[in-house]
Amino acid sequence: MNQPNLVKRDIEEQLLAALQPNKVVLLLGPRRVGKTVLLKQLIERFDQPYLLLNGEIEEIQRRLSRRNPSNYLDWFGDTRLILIDEAQNIPDVGKVLKLMVDEIPGVKVLATGSSALSINKLTGEPLTGRKKTFKLFPLSEAELNQTESAADRLGNLNLRLVLGNYPELLKISDRNERIEYLQELVQSYLLRDILAFETIQNSRKVLDLLRLIAFQVGQEVSHHELSRKLGIHKDTVAKYLDLLTKVFIIYELGGFSRNLRKEVVKSRRYYFYDNGIRNVLINNHKPIELRNDQGALWENYIISERLKHQSYQRIFSYNYFWRTYDQQEIDWVEDRDGQLHAYEIKWNPNKKVKVPVAWSKAYPESEFRVIHPDNYRGWLGM
């Protein structure tokens, strides 16, 4: 297989265009999705001097923490392109970046972070009006399309439904080694971001919560029921779920309604940004053809791919599921520019699906499509 650094990431051109004088570009995403590799790919295209700083190094933290324009000017010299990897480790990084772009004429800053919670907390108010934020995810279908032939596509898709899309997997050919990599990823990287927050009092409960969510992908989730099973308060459950969305492990989907009496709106559904992470949590790595959760795996996968597509193409959409109390439902609803687009997601391309009667009556102007393995590529812009 091709190496991941040969894959051109979808947002590369956007990042380059966003690097403007006296502005900060933030690149957020979970660990191991390729932020540092992407920085190095960008560096190869720079036509000006740059300074690359690692925010995890204590000396870098100390130097940046001395918030004085003369300190930065002495350090940077004539360099006006500053790259800071893992910037959330820099104390008061928002104030640091604000001082740079306010006091150093012509400086351009690109900072990466592995947690939306930590870096937004640190950079939010100080950088108001001074930053543009991008997200990076595990490799997308569009990106992987650069590395695979049409003949290999179906087999690779079936593999990704189980093991996911983390870039490092492209360098590992042995299936067991891929599974071990994902297990280590969950324990040593993703959970490290979660447990770094002082609000987490019981790491075991967070893992147990993730496992419960993993078994309920695409199903409506009750905070009260999760609270009962875990033996913790439902407010704590809600807090943990919010945290898990901010470190890019799960995505929360609410119910759609325009105040029709029969529509369900209070429930939530959760999806994982990567199938491999989900399957590690339930300890099931069987091939797709041997599984009884094929539909759930496909639904989770294709929704995560749609989220990547929306983010990378800057498609602004409110996303929902839709269900009535008499069990009519639609998997995915997008509200874009006042127009509704409804999508039913099916693993079996031959399964006949009709638009729910209640939906067609309530929203006759909406689009309705079925997304399955034979037609999903068009939905992802390929």
Side-chain angles (χ1 to χ4, degrees):
M1 285 187 169
N2 290 315
Q3 300 296 313
N5 61 358
L6 296 181
V7 176
K8 182 178 180 180
R9 303 307 299 260
D10 272 357
I11 58 171
E12 184 174 320
E13 300 299 331
Q14 294 181 52
L15 289 171
L16 287 171
L19 278 171
Q20 297 295 323
N22 299 99
K23 298 291 183 181
V24 175
V25 176
L26 293 179
L27 178 61
L28 305 182
R31 295 182 186 271
R32 312 305 297 175
V33 297
K35 296 188 299 297
T36 302
V37 171
L38 178 53
L39 281 186
K40 293 177 180 178
Q41 289 176 306
L42 292 174
I43 285 171
E44 293 178 359
R45 301 183 59 183
F46 292 153
D47 57 1
Q48 58 185 298
Y50 65 89
L51 183 63
L52 176 59
L53 307 175
N54 185 341
E56 294 184 314
I57 297 175
E58 290 185 4
E59 178 59 26
I60 299 297
Q61 296 172 14
R62 283 193 294 270
R63 292 201 65 175
L64 287 175
S65 296
R66 295 198 291 271
R67 299 201 305 272
N68 186 302
S70 62
N71 169 45
Y72 299 147
L73 287 168
D74 289 343
W75 187 8
F76 301 161
D78 294 331
T79 302
R80 289 297 178 266
L81 179 56
I82 311 300
L83 312 175
I84 308 175
D85 205 10
E86 299 295 347
Q88 78 274 1
N89 295 290
I90 309 297
D92 293 320
V93 66
K95 295 178 180 178
V96 169
L97 297 175
K98 178 180 183 296
L99 186 61
M100 284 185 188
V101 297
D102 284 354
E103 300 296 332
I104 303 177
V107 72
K108 304 174 184 177
V109 181
L110 194 161
T112 78
S114 56
S115 165
L117 185 62
S118 60
I119 203 164
N120 281 346
K121 179 180 178 181
L122 293 169
T123 65
E125 187 173 339
L127 288 179
T128 300
R130 299 172 175 87
K131 65 181 171 67
K132 189 168 185 178
T133 303
F134 297 85
K135 297 177 184 177
L136 191 68
F137 303 96
L139 293 169
S140 70
E141 280 279 319
E143 290 164 340
L144 287 162
N145 191 51
Q146 304 168 32
T147 72
E148 62 188 16
S149 67
D152 293 334
R153 190 171 296 140
L154 179 58
N156 289 344
L157 173 62
N158 288 343
L159 189 64
R160 291 195 286 269
L161 288 172
V162 177
L163 298 181
N165 295 42
Y166 270 81
E168 194 72 15
L169 297 179
L170 289 181
K171 297 194 292 185
I172 306 172
S173 58
D174 181 79
R175 185 182 183 90
N176 288 334
E177 289 184 15
R178 290 177 171 181
I179 294 169
E180 290 173 2
Y181 171 81
L182 290 170
Q183 291 170 337
E184 178 68 17
L185 180 66
V186 169
Q187 295 293 336
S188 299
Y189 289 98
L190 299 186
L191 290 184
R192 188 171 81 184
D193 277 341
I194 299 170
L195 302 181
F197 300 103
E198 68 279 0
T199 54
I200 298 297
Q201 299 175 350
N202 193 326
S203 60
R204 177 53 52 186
K205 293 297 184 182
V206 175
L207 262 181
D208 291 342
L209 173 60
L210 267 175
R211 290 190 180 103
L212 288 176
I213 295 296
F215 280 113
Q216 299 181 63
V217 162
Q219 302 175 28
E220 288 167 50
V221 171
S222 162
H223 288 189
H224 178 78
E225 183 66 17
L226 292 173
S227 168
R228 185 185 65 80
K229 289 181 177 180
L230 293 169
I232 58 178
H233 196 276
K234 64 181 180 64
D235 290 345
T236 303
V237 169
K239 180 179 70 175
Y240 286 175
L241 288 171
D242 182 61
L243 174 59
L244 291 167
T245 63
K246 286 185 169 67
V247 294
F248 308 110
I249 294 179
I250 58 175
Y251 175 80
E252 181 185 82
L253 193 66
F256 176 81
S257 175
R258 286 189 174 162
N259 297 318
L260 299 183
R261 187 175 302 175
K262 292 183 178 181
E263 292 174 322
V264 176
V265 293
K266 293 184 178 180
S267 296
R268 293 291 183 268
R269 295 181 181 180
Y270 292 91
Y271 295 91
F272 284 79
Y273 278 105
D274 189 76
N275 276 35
I277 301 303
R278 184 262 181 179
N279 288 326
V280 164
L281 289 164
I282 66 172
N283 195 29
N284 186 349
H285 309 101
K286 292 180 181 178
I288 188 69
E289 59 269 15
L290 301 179
R291 303 179 66 120
N292 60 9
D293 59 350
Q294 295 172 342
L297 285 177
W298 172 245
E299 184 173 331
N300 189 90
Y301 184 82
I302 201 62
I303 283 177
S304 69
E305 288 299 310
R306 183 64 176 178
L307 291 170
K308 296 172 193 176
H309 178 65
Q310 289 178 344
S311 179
Y312 292 162
Q313 301 304 316
R314 314 298 277 189
I315 298 171
F316 184 75
S317 173
Y318 292 111
N319 301 320
Y320 308 91
F321 72 91
W322 176 83
R323 184 174 71 82
T324 64
Y325 287 105
D326 58 0
Q327 303 304 312
Q328 297 185 62
E329 64 179 85
I330 294 173
D331 294 323
W332 186 257
V333 174
E334 297 182 4
D335 186 349
R336 290 184 266 120
D337 295 323
Q339 178 67 32
L340 295 178
H341 306 263
Y343 305 96
E344 190 67 12
I345 299 169
K346 295 298 180 185
W347 174 242
N348 182 356
N350 298 317
K351 187 168 184 177
K352 301 298 182 183
V353 180
K354 294 182 179 180
V355 57
V357 173
W359 177 268
S360 60
K361 287 184 177 180
Y363 311 108
E365 302 302 318
S366 64
E367 175 196 28
F368 179 81
R369 292 173 57 192
V370 180
I371 306 299
H372 51 71
D374 286 353
N375 71 357
Y376 76 95
R377 289 168 58 81
W379 199 43
L380 304 179
M382 294 187 289

